[in-house]
Amino acid sequence: MPTIAIVGAGPQLGLAIARTYGTHGYDVALIARNRAKLEGLAEELATEGITAAAFPADVLDRTALTQALQDAAAHFGGIDVLEYSPVGGFDSTVLTTPAATEPADVQHEMEFQLYGAIAATRAALPAMREAGAGTLLFTTGAGSVDPVPQVANVNAAAAALRNWVLNLHKELEGTGVQAAHVGIDVSIGTPAVPGFPTAKPEEISPVYWELHTTRRDQAELVFSL
């Protein structure tokens, strides 16, 4: 069975992506910090007939993240799709405007978004290149494309990740491996900002399937309403 590894597998978008791929016959490797939550999600997917397993790791611990992906590949016999979308909590993320940003404010976000994505890619890509097939998908907020002053430090790191993914897409052209960036220009599930558009996770998750199947030449997709 083909397998998708979801890094940052949360109860909203991560679970929706798992369901989208699971209904197409994919096994699901769930990777995030909280083992209990991951195992709960795996059990929930199992009741829906989707095979899933938990591989706890913090994306800030690149050795642990690499090991989790290696364990997932060993457990399922490989990783066909990697989706990277860790979500920081307000307990770990300090939001800054451009003028108020200190280097340290961006450094944490770079570790979380860009460096974690690079580590995950280095763990999954070699086998994909050898097979001549695979998909690497990376998620940010749409502030990576059109930044917002209130979250300047987060947007800066997201823009760095976006830049790296678009470049990776260019490098992998002709290899059979797809790399693409997904920018989400909505609140997911519940409104985060008054007046800002909101979409359900299951409205967003199909684009991840499309980038893997029918839009393999596309380097970027921005989801908006």
Side-chain angles (χ1 to χ4, degrees), residues 16 21 25 41 43 57 60 68 76-77 100 111 124 127 154 195 197-198 211:
Y21 275 82
L41 294 178
E43 291 172 3
L60 294 174
F76 287 117
E111 295 275 356
V154 174
T198 301
L211 286 167

Short mmCIF file of all heavy atoms in Angstrom, two decimals, residues 16 21 25 41 43 57 60 68 76-77 100 111 124 127 154 195 197-198 211:
data_model
loop_
_atom_site.label_atom_id
_atom_site.label_comp_id
_atom_site.label_asym_id
_atom_site.label_seq_id
_atom_site.Cartn_x
_atom_site.Cartn_y
_atom_site.Cartn_z
N ALA A 16 -7.71 15.84 8.11
CA ALA A 16 -8.45 15.90 6.85
C ALA A 16 -7.60 15.36 5.69
O ALA A 16 -8.10 14.64 4.82
CB ALA A 16 -8.90 17.33 6.56
N TYR A 21 -6.31 11.03 1.71
CA TYR A 21 -5.42 10.00 1.17
C TYR A 21 -5.88 8.60 1.59
O TYR A 21 -5.80 7.66 0.79
CB TYR A 21 -3.98 10.25 1.63
CG TYR A 21 -3.25 11.23 0.74
CD1 TYR A 21 -3.41 12.60 0.90
CD2 TYR A 21 -2.40 10.80 -0.27
CE1 TYR A 21 -2.76 13.51 0.08
CE2 TYR A 21 -1.74 11.69 -1.09
CZ TYR A 21 -1.92 13.05 -0.91
OH TYR A 21 -1.27 13.94 -1.74
N GLY A 25 -6.86 4.72 -0.47
CA GLY A 25 -6.09 3.51 -0.25
C GLY A 25 -4.70 3.68 0.33
O GLY A 25 -3.91 2.74 0.34
N LEU A 41 -5.72 10.03 17.11
CA LEU A 41 -6.04 10.26 15.70
C LEU A 41 -5.94 8.96 14.91
O LEU A 41 -6.78 8.68 14.04
CB LEU A 41 -5.11 11.31 15.11
CG LEU A 41 -5.23 12.73 15.65
CD1 LEU A 41 -4.20 13.64 14.99
CD2 LEU A 41 -6.63 13.30 15.43
N GLU A 43 -6.39 5.95 16.03
CA GLU A 43 -7.55 5.13 16.38
C GLU A 43 -8.81 5.63 15.68
O GLU A 43 -9.64 4.84 15.21
CB GLU A 43 -7.75 5.13 17.90
CG GLU A 43 -6.66 4.39 18.66
CD GLU A 43 -6.78 4.57 20.17
OE1 GLU A 43 -7.75 5.23 20.61
OE2 GLU A 43 -5.90 4.07 20.89
N ALA A 57 7.46 12.88 17.34
CA ALA A 57 8.73 13.60 17.21
C ALA A 57 8.45 15.09 17.18
O ALA A 57 7.43 15.53 16.65
CB ALA A 57 9.49 13.18 15.96
N LEU A 60 11.48 20.45 16.02
CA LEU A 60 12.66 21.21 16.43
C LEU A 60 13.83 20.30 16.77
O LEU A 60 14.97 20.76 16.85
CB LEU A 60 12.31 22.09 17.65
CG LEU A 60 11.30 23.20 17.40
CD1 LEU A 60 10.94 23.90 18.71
CD2 LEU A 60 11.83 24.20 16.38
N ALA A 68 11.93 9.44 13.21
CA ALA A 68 10.50 9.14 13.09
C ALA A 68 10.14 8.81 11.64
O ALA A 68 9.37 7.87 11.38
CB ALA A 68 9.67 10.32 13.59
N PHE A 76 5.93 0.94 7.19
CA PHE A 76 4.98 0.83 6.08
C PHE A 76 5.63 0.38 4.77
O PHE A 76 4.93 0.19 3.77
CB PHE A 76 4.28 2.17 5.86
CG PHE A 76 3.25 2.50 6.91
CD1 PHE A 76 3.40 3.61 7.72
CD2 PHE A 76 2.12 1.72 7.07
CE1 PHE A 76 2.45 3.93 8.69
CE2 PHE A 76 1.16 2.03 8.02
CZ PHE A 76 1.32 3.13 8.83
N GLY A 77 6.95 0.25 4.76
CA GLY A 77 7.62 -0.17 3.54
C GLY A 77 7.97 0.96 2.60
O GLY A 77 8.25 0.74 1.42
N ALA A 100 9.49 45.78 15.10
CA ALA A 100 9.74 45.26 16.45
C ALA A 100 10.45 43.92 16.46
O ALA A 100 10.78 43.39 17.52
CB ALA A 100 8.42 45.14 17.20
N GLU A 111 13.70 27.71 12.58
CA GLU A 111 13.92 26.35 13.07
C GLU A 111 12.66 25.51 12.86
O GLU A 111 12.73 24.35 12.44
CB GLU A 111 14.27 26.39 14.57
CG GLU A 111 15.57 27.06 14.92
CD GLU A 111 16.76 26.13 14.80
OE1 GLU A 111 16.56 24.93 14.51
OE2 GLU A 111 17.90 26.60 15.00
N ALA A 124 13.26 11.81 3.54
CA ALA A 124 12.33 11.13 2.64
C ALA A 124 12.74 11.15 1.17
O ALA A 124 12.40 10.23 0.42
CB ALA A 124 10.94 11.77 2.77
N ALA A 127 15.01 8.12 -1.13
CA ALA A 127 14.30 6.93 -1.61
C ALA A 127 13.36 7.27 -2.75
O ALA A 127 13.18 6.46 -3.68
CB ALA A 127 13.52 6.29 -0.45
N VAL A 154 6.79 35.37 11.65
CA VAL A 154 6.27 34.10 11.13
C VAL A 154 6.26 34.14 9.60
O VAL A 154 6.67 33.18 8.93
CB VAL A 154 4.86 33.84 11.67
CG1 VAL A 154 4.25 32.61 11.02
CG2 VAL A 154 4.89 33.68 13.18
N GLY A 195 -13.96 38.74 10.37
CA GLY A 195 -14.08 39.15 8.99
C GLY A 195 -13.19 38.40 8.02
O GLY A 195 -13.34 38.52 6.80
N PRO A 197 -11.95 35.18 5.95
CA PRO A 197 -12.67 33.99 5.49
C PRO A 197 -12.21 32.72 6.19
O PRO A 197 -11.05 32.59 6.58
CB PRO A 197 -12.34 33.95 3.99
CG PRO A 197 -11.12 34.78 3.84
CD PRO A 197 -11.20 35.83 4.89
N THR A 198 -13.16 31.80 6.36
CA THR A 198 -12.90 30.55 7.07
C THR A 198 -13.34 29.38 6.20
O THR A 198 -14.37 29.43 5.54
CB THR A 198 -13.68 30.52 8.40
OG1 THR A 198 -13.26 31.63 9.20
CG2 THR A 198 -13.41 29.23 9.17
N LEU A 211 -2.34 18.01 -6.11
CA LEU A 211 -0.92 18.27 -6.36
C LEU A 211 -0.13 16.97 -6.50
O LEU A 211 0.90 16.93 -7.18
CB LEU A 211 -0.34 19.13 -5.24
CG LEU A 211 -0.75 20.60 -5.25
CD1 LEU A 211 -0.40 21.28 -3.95
CD2 LEU A 211 -0.09 21.33 -6.43
#
